[in-house]
Amino acid sequence: AQSVTQLDSQVPVFEEAPVELRCNYSSSVSVYLFWYVQYPNQGLQLLLKYLSGSTLVKGINGFEAEFNKSQTSFHLRKPSVHISDTAEYFCAVRSTDKLIFGTGTRLQVFP
Amino acid sequence: EPEVTQTPSHQVTQMGQEVILRCVPISNHLYFYWYRQILGQKVEFLVSFYNNEISEKSEIFDDQFSVERPDGSNFTLKIRSTKLEDSAMYFCASSENRLNEQFFGPGTRLTVL
């Protein structure tokens, strides 16, 4: 069965610092990977996706992620965070019709 | 930009009552989904719906749950007899096809007393 692991439940970081949110997946078949962001009291918004092709995927709001098949990882990165990036970030893998989500990482950006 | 909408934003109900959560998916999308998120926990898949029938459902989606597309625009989730543990945020999502990204609505917070 496919699954996703987000090792960090919380990541505190100062504004303008770089950040990496880690995601590892397990899958025996082709993977389709996604990162979603959830701002307080809001729904899930797609940041970026990997379906095939280039392993470096660029998304919205300056985020990017790299698909690494050998390490079964899909880490999310941003070179310089803003206060407004404070949110919950979910990694997800597509399995048949559904998305399987990780437990989420709370990114807290401090001034 | 088209978006998924959900109503109501917050529903409070008594245990044992029936509730219907409503969603309007993006108009040209063909696949529809319900997920839920219990407070502080991860988002869990409930059911997917395509071509007017359930295509996949999770263990959570038992006989108390049902889904329907009553017309060309709405997609509903019914819980027949709510339990305390049904309290959660329920998200509707839609996608153009099985492989593309799913677009999520803002959610309905269900509180069962």
Side-chain angles (χ1 to χ4, degrees), chain A residues 1-6 9 24 26 38 44 88-93 98-105, chain B residues 34-46 58 60 85 87-91 104:
Chain A
Q2 292 177 311
S3 65
V4 166
T5 302
Q6 292 182 250
S9 60
N24 287 89
S26 68
Q38 185 179 32
L44 297 163
E88 191 88 17
Y89 291 79
F90 292 95
C91 184
V93 62
K98 63 186 178 289
L99 292 175
I100 297 173
F101 286 88
T103 50
T105 296
Chain B
W34 284 101
Y35 292 81
R36 79 173 185 190
Q37 184 182 31
I38 295 172
L39 189 64
Q41 298 185 26
K42 65 179 178 181
V43 179
E44 302 173 289
F45 168 78
L46 291 177
S58 72
I60 304 167
E85 54 265 37
S87 293
M89 182 73 91
Y90 288 80
F91 293 107
F104 284 76

Side-chain angles (χ1 to χ4, degrees), chain A:
Chain A
Q2 292 177 311
S3 65
V4 166
T5 302
Q6 292 182 250
L7 292 171
D8 307 304
S9 60
Q10 294 187 59
V11 173
V13 64
F14 287 108
E15 195 173 21
E16 297 183 10
V19 71
E20 178 180 84
L21 306 184
R22 296 182 293 169
C23 173
N24 287 89
Y25 67 91
S26 68
S27 172
S28 57
V29 296
S30 298
V31 287
Y32 304 99
L33 294 159
F34 305 83
W35 274 100
Y36 282 85
V37 60
Q38 185 179 32
Y39 298 105
N41 300 314
Q42 294 188 30
L44 297 163
Q45 181 182 6
L46 181 71
L47 276 178
L48 48 80
K49 61 184 178 183
Y50 172 79
L51 302 182
S52 64
S54 172
T55 58
L56 183 62
V57 180
K58 293 191 182 297
I60 62 171
N61 301 340
F63 284 94
E64 62 180 34
E66 185 159 16
F67 172 66
N68 188 318
K69 190 174 181 179
S70 63
Q71 296 186 10
T72 60
S73 67
F74 190 56
H75 300 333
L76 181 70
R77 301 186 184 102
K78 187 169 182 177
S80 175
V81 295
H82 303 290
I83 295 283
S84 58
D85 292 324
T86 293
E88 191 88 17
Y89 291 79
F90 292 95
C91 184
V93 62
R94 182 108 195 198
S95 173
T96 58
D97 283 1
K98 63 186 178 289
L99 292 175
I100 297 173
F101 286 88
T103 50
T105 296
R106 172 133 185 90
L107 176 64
Q108 180 75 51
V109 181
F110 295 96

